[in-house]
Amino acid sequence: MKTNLITRPGWHKLDEELKYLWRVKRPEVTQAVSEAAALGDRSENAEYKEGKRELRRIDSRLRFLTKRLDALEIVDHHPQQNGKVFFGAWVELENDEGDIVRYRIVGTDEIDPKLGYITIDSPMARALIGKQVDDDVFVKTPSGTKEWWINLIQYTPFE
């Protein structure tokens, strides 16, 4: 089951996408479809057909974003969270081999492996919630249980 939590910047990003699609992209595609339709026979009009497909994709995404934004709960950082891992935290971890990884715990709509953003629903995030610096974290993976140590917890991005 998907958790309906999101950070404030994540919510704004989805909201901006919704506004862009509604105010900019959809009117552009609608205009292009109207112009293509004016050219005549629609049955063999590739521009018209592709424009209609694009409109369906846009409308589908608009419906999804509208419903999703209504369902999401924005979670803001509270100063009482400092020192412990909670939703929205940036965490630096180290294992026995000295490998260091950095993750941020976010909602499912914000996952970005390149940035190290992991979902609150992941085994790693679940193992981290409520932990403090120097705590051991055991994460069950398909290849067995892995042990990590928490080096750093912060609620601002790593530099």
Side-chain angles (χ1 to χ4, degrees):
M1 185 172 153
K2 253 182 7 178
T3 305
N4 288 330
L5 303 178
I6 194 165
T7 62
R8 190 165 298 278
W11 192 91
H12 285 297
K13 185 177 178 182
L14 291 179
D15 187 52
E16 286 300 315
E17 180 185 357
L18 175 75
K19 289 175 183 173
Y20 168 77
L21 288 173
W22 185 250
R23 295 178 183 161
V24 178
K25 188 66 176 174
R26 192 175 192 290
E28 286 175 358
V29 174
T30 302
Q31 180 64 35
V33 168
S34 294
E35 290 170 4
L39 297 176
D41 186 14
R42 294 178 185 174
S43 64
E44 295 182 19
N45 188 330
E47 290 84 9
Y48 176 79
K49 288 180 179 180
E50 182 53 37
K52 292 295 280 185
R53 273 198 273 310
E54 180 67 14
L55 269 179
R56 283 192 297 277
R57 283 191 292 267
I58 290 170
D59 288 344
S60 174
R61 184 68 178 162
L62 284 168
R63 280 189 303 276
F64 169 80
L65 288 171
T66 301
K67 289 177 184 176
R68 192 70 184 135
L69 286 168
D70 286 342
L72 290 170
E73 178 184 343
I74 298 171
V75 177
D76 289 316
H77 167 69
H78 192 279
Q80 290 178 339
Q81 294 174 325
N82 290 338
K84 288 193 175 190
V85 179
F86 291 105
F87 186 84
W90 278 267
V91 184
E92 181 181 273
L93 306 166
E94 187 173 351
N95 66 10
D96 283 334
E97 291 82 40
D99 297 329
I100 294 176
V101 294
R102 290 179 168 180
Y103 295 118
R104 182 173 191 208
I105 300 173
V106 296
T108 56
D109 299 281
E110 301 173 272
I111 298 170
D112 188 340
K114 293 177 191 168
L115 297 175
Y117 286 17
I118 61 172
T119 176
I120 185 76
D121 298 322
S122 70
M124 175 65 84
R126 290 288 180 201
L128 288 168
I129 295 297
K131 302 289 186 187
Q132 300 177 49
V133 171
D134 294 330
D135 281 355
D136 294 340
V137 178
F138 297 93
V139 182
K140 292 180 184 176
T141 67
S143 62
T145 300
K146 306 288 184 188
E147 183 178 9
W148 295 88
W149 292 274
I150 299 176
N151 289 338
L152 184 62
I153 302 166
Q154 58 190 55
Y155 287 88
T156 56
F158 290 118
E159 293 184 15

